[in-house]
Amino acid sequence: MTKASNIPIENNIQVCPTQEQASITTAHLIADVIKSKQELGEFAVLGLATGNTPKLVYQELVQMHKNQGLSFKNVISFNLDEYHGITPAHRLSYHRFMRTYLFDHVDILPENIHLPFGTWELNKIEAHCAAYEAKINDYNGIDIQLLGIGRNGHIAFNEPGSPFDSVTRLIDLHPFTRNDAADEFGGLDKVPTQAITMGIHTIMNAKRILLLALGKRKAEIIKKTFESEMTPQIPATFLKARPDIEYIFDTEAASLL
Ligand code: F6R
């Protein structure tokens, strides 16, 4: 295992009093990238996450679009992951999530939206994943990547055991992750067993990375991630390889630090 770095991580942590304030802070960092790229006449390439964590971030970005004229016309988006075996129309697909919480409410061009598909045929998944990576590179990489964290330390669906050099691929979901999703799927047996996910290497290549964690349920894994050396058993520890990663927490998520 690589030794934990002695980065003064505190410098990169913002602890906000509420989930709402942490989300608004995050949304503003993303909006600033969109706007500064607009001023340069360039695309802003966003790496986006799903789940509970970014919901208020997207809500704030939608508000900025509606009330402050923030345009998404120069935005290129790449999502981190998608469940394997479900269609984009499935109520719990990440395609659907992104439309519901962000894309349907802003002026992003449909052709600029990229997510892995849960419908990719097994024998073509490798080629599709390689094409996904190539597409990110075509846009000269991700300008700003938003991450949540799973309670087992996964980032995207890089489950424990994921290597540092992993790229976009099909992965078996960890029992912990499937359990966490059981309620919304209406039972563990209905939760997909696999997903397509960007790899650790894909994520670490982003020019800027924000990790947002909210609520008491995340306090334990945040503590473990910060205290542990880099290990594939807690994939989020790999973020320590980048001293510039920005961590945004609410008081509860940061409560055990
Ligand atoms: C989803 C993703 C996952 C989630 C993580 C936390 O695109 O990348 O890593 O960020 O599972 O999920 P929530 O936010 O629902 O606690």
mmCIF file of all heavy atoms in Angstrom, residues 48-54 79-81 94 147-151 154-157 177 217-218, ligand 1:
data_model
loop_
_atom_site.group_PDB
_atom_site.id
_atom_site.type_symbol
_atom_site.label_atom_id
_atom_site.label_comp_id
_atom_site.label_asym_id
_atom_site.label_seq_id
_atom_site.Cartn_x
_atom_site.Cartn_y
_atom_site.Cartn_z
ATOM 1 N N LEU A 48 -20.184 14.633 -13.794
ATOM 2 C CA LEU A 48 -21.335 14.745 -12.894
ATOM 3 C C LEU A 48 -21.643 13.443 -12.174
ATOM 4 O O LEU A 48 -21.419 12.351 -12.698
ATOM 5 C CB LEU A 48 -22.554 15.219 -13.687
ATOM 6 C CG LEU A 48 -22.390 16.607 -14.333
ATOM 7 C CD1 LEU A 48 -23.620 16.965 -15.162
ATOM 8 C CD2 LEU A 48 -22.113 17.685 -13.288
ATOM 9 N N ALA A 49 -22.200 13.612 -10.976
ATOM 10 C CA ALA A 49 -22.560 12.461 -10.139
ATOM 11 C C ALA A 49 -24.075 12.423 -9.962
ATOM 12 O O ALA A 49 -24.776 13.402 -10.214
ATOM 13 C CB ALA A 49 -21.894 12.612 -8.771
ATOM 14 N N THR A 50 -24.566 11.284 -9.511
ATOM 15 C CA THR A 50 -25.981 11.144 -9.176
ATOM 16 C C THR A 50 -26.078 10.786 -7.692
ATOM 17 O O THR A 50 -25.092 10.852 -6.963
ATOM 18 C CB THR A 50 -26.633 10.054 -10.045
ATOM 19 O OG1 THR A 50 -25.865 8.869 -9.875
ATOM 20 C CG2 THR A 50 -26.659 10.449 -11.509
ATOM 21 N N GLY A 51 -27.257 10.371 -7.256
ATOM 22 C CA GLY A 51 -27.442 10.007 -5.844
ATOM 23 C C GLY A 51 -28.058 11.167 -5.072
ATOM 24 O O GLY A 51 -28.371 12.216 -5.642
ATOM 25 N N ASN A 52 -28.180 10.997 -3.779
ATOM 26 C CA ASN A 52 -28.797 12.048 -2.955
ATOM 27 C C ASN A 52 -27.911 13.271 -2.839
ATOM 28 O O ASN A 52 -28.397 14.398 -2.787
ATOM 29 C CB ASN A 52 -29.085 11.516 -1.544
ATOM 30 C CG ASN A 52 -30.320 10.651 -1.560
ATOM 31 O OD1 ASN A 52 -31.313 10.990 -2.210
ATOM 32 N ND2 ASN A 52 -30.258 9.524 -0.879
ATOM 33 N N THR A 53 -26.614 13.035 -2.774
ATOM 34 C CA THR A 53 -25.686 14.130 -2.474
ATOM 35 C C THR A 53 -25.807 15.327 -3.420
ATOM 36 O O THR A 53 -25.862 16.461 -2.947
ATOM 37 C CB THR A 53 -24.238 13.591 -2.448
ATOM 38 O OG1 THR A 53 -24.204 12.468 -1.568
ATOM 39 C CG2 THR A 53 -23.252 14.636 -2.006
ATOM 40 N N PRO A 54 -25.841 15.123 -4.749
ATOM 41 C CA PRO A 54 -25.823 16.318 -5.601
ATOM 42 C C PRO A 54 -27.195 16.943 -5.884
ATOM 43 O O PRO A 54 -27.272 17.927 -6.623
ATOM 44 C CB PRO A 54 -25.208 15.790 -6.907
ATOM 45 C CG PRO A 54 -25.550 14.353 -6.951
ATOM 46 C CD PRO A 54 -25.701 13.889 -5.524
ATOM 47 N N ASN A 79 -21.279 11.770 -17.196
ATOM 48 C CA ASN A 79 -21.641 11.213 -15.885
ATOM 49 C C ASN A 79 -20.696 10.098 -15.487
ATOM 50 O O ASN A 79 -20.095 9.421 -16.324
ATOM 51 C CB ASN A 79 -23.085 10.731 -15.888
ATOM 52 C CG ASN A 79 -24.007 11.777 -15.309
ATOM 53 O OD1 ASN A 79 -24.368 12.717 -16.012
ATOM 54 N ND2 ASN A 79 -24.346 11.659 -14.029
ATOM 55 N N LEU A 80 -20.616 9.918 -14.183
ATOM 56 C CA LEU A 80 -19.691 8.930 -13.631
ATOM 57 C C LEU A 80 -20.099 7.502 -13.908
ATOM 58 O O LEU A 80 -19.245 6.629 -14.110
ATOM 59 C CB LEU A 80 -19.634 9.076 -12.108
ATOM 60 C CG LEU A 80 -18.891 10.264 -11.536
ATOM 61 C CD1 LEU A 80 -19.194 10.398 -10.052
ATOM 62 C CD2 LEU A 80 -17.388 10.095 -11.751
ATOM 63 N N ASP A 81 -21.413 7.249 -13.887
ATOM 64 C CA ASP A 81 -21.804 5.829 -13.863
ATOM 65 C C ASP A 81 -23.265 5.619 -14.239
ATOM 66 O O ASP A 81 -24.034 6.585 -14.358
ATOM 67 C CB ASP A 81 -21.506 5.218 -12.475
ATOM 68 C CG ASP A 81 -21.873 6.150 -11.319
ATOM 69 O OD1 ASP A 81 -22.671 7.078 -11.539
ATOM 70 O OD2 ASP A 81 -21.366 5.933 -10.211
ATOM 71 N N TYR A 94 -29.760 6.443 -14.085
ATOM 72 C CA TYR A 94 -29.077 7.713 -13.888
ATOM 73 C C TYR A 94 -29.344 8.676 -15.056
ATOM 74 O O TYR A 94 -29.240 9.899 -14.891
ATOM 75 C CB TYR A 94 -27.578 7.478 -13.660
ATOM 76 C CG TYR A 94 -27.291 6.867 -12.294
ATOM 77 C CD1 TYR A 94 -26.040 6.346 -11.983
ATOM 78 C CD2 TYR A 94 -28.274 6.822 -11.302
ATOM 79 C CE1 TYR A 94 -25.774 5.805 -10.728
ATOM 80 C CE2 TYR A 94 -28.013 6.287 -10.047
ATOM 81 C CZ TYR A 94 -26.763 5.774 -9.769
ATOM 82 O OH TYR A 94 -26.501 5.252 -8.518
ATOM 83 N N LEU A 147 -17.935 14.678 -7.132
ATOM 84 C CA LEU A 147 -18.001 13.322 -6.576
ATOM 85 C C LEU A 147 -18.820 13.308 -5.297
ATOM 86 O O LEU A 147 -18.751 14.244 -4.494
ATOM 87 C CB LEU A 147 -16.598 12.830 -6.176
ATOM 88 C CG LEU A 147 -15.544 12.604 -7.237
ATOM 89 C CD1 LEU A 147 -14.249 12.171 -6.549
ATOM 90 C CD2 LEU A 147 -15.990 11.536 -8.243
ATOM 91 N N GLY A 148 -19.548 12.209 -5.089
ATOM 92 C CA GLY A 148 -20.068 11.880 -3.778
ATOM 93 C C GLY A 148 -19.188 10.753 -3.246
ATOM 94 O O GLY A 148 -18.184 10.383 -3.860
ATOM 95 N N ILE A 149 -19.565 10.201 -2.119
ATOM 96 C CA ILE A 149 -18.808 9.065 -1.586
ATOM 97 C C ILE A 149 -19.799 8.050 -1.012
ATOM 98 O O ILE A 149 -20.763 8.432 -0.335
ATOM 99 C CB ILE A 149 -17.772 9.530 -0.523
ATOM 100 C CG1 ILE A 149 -16.936 8.352 0.007
ATOM 101 C CG2 ILE A 149 -18.444 10.291 0.619
ATOM 102 C CD1 ILE A 149 -15.737 8.778 0.865
ATOM 103 N N GLY A 150 -19.559 6.773 -1.322
ATOM 104 C CA GLY A 150 -20.406 5.723 -0.765
ATOM 105 C C GLY A 150 -19.959 5.400 0.649
ATOM 106 O O GLY A 150 -18.815 5.689 1.037
ATOM 107 N N ARG A 151 -20.826 4.774 1.424
ATOM 108 C CA ARG A 151 -20.469 4.491 2.822
ATOM 109 C C ARG A 151 -19.388 3.417 2.932
ATOM 110 O O ARG A 151 -18.819 3.208 3.992
ATOM 111 C CB ARG A 151 -21.718 4.130 3.619
ATOM 112 C CG ARG A 151 -22.614 5.367 3.807
ATOM 113 C CD ARG A 151 -23.710 5.169 4.815
ATOM 114 N NE ARG A 151 -24.520 4.013 4.493
ATOM 115 C CZ ARG A 151 -24.848 3.073 5.360
ATOM 116 N NH1 ARG A 151 -24.408 3.148 6.607
ATOM 117 N NH2 ARG A 151 -25.603 2.064 4.994
ATOM 118 N N HIS A 154 -16.622 3.964 -1.759
ATOM 119 C CA HIS A 154 -16.546 3.999 -3.219
ATOM 120 C C HIS A 154 -16.681 5.423 -3.732
ATOM 121 O O HIS A 154 -17.331 6.259 -3.116
ATOM 122 C CB HIS A 154 -17.549 3.042 -3.887
ATOM 123 C CG HIS A 154 -18.990 3.441 -3.843
ATOM 124 N ND1 HIS A 154 -20.015 2.515 -3.791
ATOM 125 C CD2 HIS A 154 -19.602 4.639 -3.867
ATOM 126 C CE1 HIS A 154 -21.180 3.134 -3.793
ATOM 127 N NE2 HIS A 154 -20.957 4.419 -3.834
ATOM 128 N N ILE A 155 -16.013 5.694 -4.849
ATOM 129 C CA ILE A 155 -16.255 6.927 -5.594
ATOM 130 C C ILE A 155 -16.663 6.486 -6.990
ATOM 131 O O ILE A 155 -16.101 5.548 -7.532
ATOM 132 C CB ILE A 155 -15.033 7.889 -5.605
ATOM 133 C CG1 ILE A 155 -13.745 7.163 -5.980
ATOM 134 C CG2 ILE A 155 -14.882 8.580 -4.266
ATOM 135 C CD1 ILE A 155 -12.549 8.108 -6.162
ATOM 136 N N ALA A 156 -17.673 7.163 -7.560
ATOM 137 C CA ALA A 156 -18.434 6.605 -8.674
ATOM 138 C C ALA A 156 -18.839 5.202 -8.216
ATOM 139 O O ALA A 156 -19.169 5.001 -7.053
ATOM 140 C CB ALA A 156 -17.636 6.634 -9.965
ATOM 141 N N PHE A 157 -18.755 4.184 -9.076
ATOM 142 C CA PHE A 157 -19.011 2.825 -8.576
ATOM 143 C C PHE A 157 -17.702 2.036 -8.509
ATOM 144 O O PHE A 157 -17.670 0.826 -8.730
ATOM 145 C CB PHE A 157 -20.054 2.106 -9.425
ATOM 146 C CG PHE A 157 -21.479 2.394 -9.005
ATOM 147 C CD1 PHE A 157 -22.460 2.615 -9.952
ATOM 148 C CD2 PHE A 157 -21.844 2.430 -7.665
ATOM 149 C CE1 PHE A 157 -23.774 2.874 -9.583
ATOM 150 C CE2 PHE A 157 -23.153 2.697 -7.282
ATOM 151 C CZ PHE A 157 -24.118 2.917 -8.238
ATOM 152 N N THR A 177 -23.371 -1.556 -1.248
ATOM 153 C CA THR A 177 -23.965 -0.588 -2.178
ATOM 154 C C THR A 177 -25.366 -1.033 -2.577
ATOM 155 O O THR A 177 -26.302 -0.237 -2.644
ATOM 156 C CB THR A 177 -23.068 -0.493 -3.441
ATOM 157 O OG1 THR A 177 -21.752 -0.131 -3.025
ATOM 158 C CG2 THR A 177 -23.599 0.501 -4.447
ATOM 159 N N ARG A 217 -24.605 10.136 8.134
ATOM 160 C CA ARG A 217 -24.332 8.795 7.596
ATOM 161 C C ARG A 217 -22.958 8.729 6.914
ATOM 162 O O ARG A 217 -22.431 7.644 6.687
ATOM 163 C CB ARG A 217 -25.407 8.400 6.576
ATOM 164 C CG ARG A 217 -26.751 8.107 7.183
ATOM 165 C CD ARG A 217 -27.815 7.891 6.133
ATOM 166 N NE ARG A 217 -27.764 6.564 5.518
ATOM 167 C CZ ARG A 217 -27.458 6.342 4.254
ATOM 168 N NH1 ARG A 217 -27.163 7.336 3.454
ATOM 169 N NH2 ARG A 217 -27.452 5.118 3.780
ATOM 170 N N LYS A 218 -22.415 9.880 6.535
ATOM 171 C CA LYS A 218 -21.126 9.882 5.839
ATOM 172 C C LYS A 218 -19.953 10.142 6.785
ATOM 173 O O LYS A 218 -18.793 10.061 6.374
ATOM 174 C CB LYS A 218 -21.137 10.923 4.710
ATOM 175 C CG LYS A 218 -22.168 10.647 3.623
ATOM 176 C CD LYS A 218 -21.829 9.392 2.842
ATOM 177 C CE LYS A 218 -22.968 8.903 1.951
ATOM 178 N NZ LYS A 218 -23.189 9.695 0.777
HETATM 179 C C1 F6R B 1 -23.245 8.183 -8.181
HETATM 180 C C2 F6R B 1 -21.950 7.933 -7.569
HETATM 181 C C3 F6R B 1 -21.843 7.307 -6.219
HETATM 182 C C4 F6R B 1 -22.512 8.161 -5.142
HETATM 183 C C5 F6R B 1 -22.398 7.484 -3.776
HETATM 184 C C6 F6R B 1 -23.122 8.262 -2.710
HETATM 185 O O1 F6R B 1 -23.084 8.755 -9.456
HETATM 186 O O2 F6R B 1 -20.971 8.204 -8.177
HETATM 187 O O3 F6R B 1 -20.506 7.128 -5.898
HETATM 188 O O4 F6R B 1 -21.907 9.407 -5.100
HETATM 189 O O5 F6R B 1 -22.925 6.193 -3.833
HETATM 190 O O6 F6R B 1 -24.492 8.204 -2.940
HETATM 191 P P1 F6R B 1 -25.474 9.193 -2.170
HETATM 192 O O7 F6R B 1 -25.171 10.548 -2.682
HETATM 193 O O8 F6R B 1 -26.852 8.749 -2.613
HETATM 194 O O9 F6R B 1 -25.220 9.043 -0.724
#
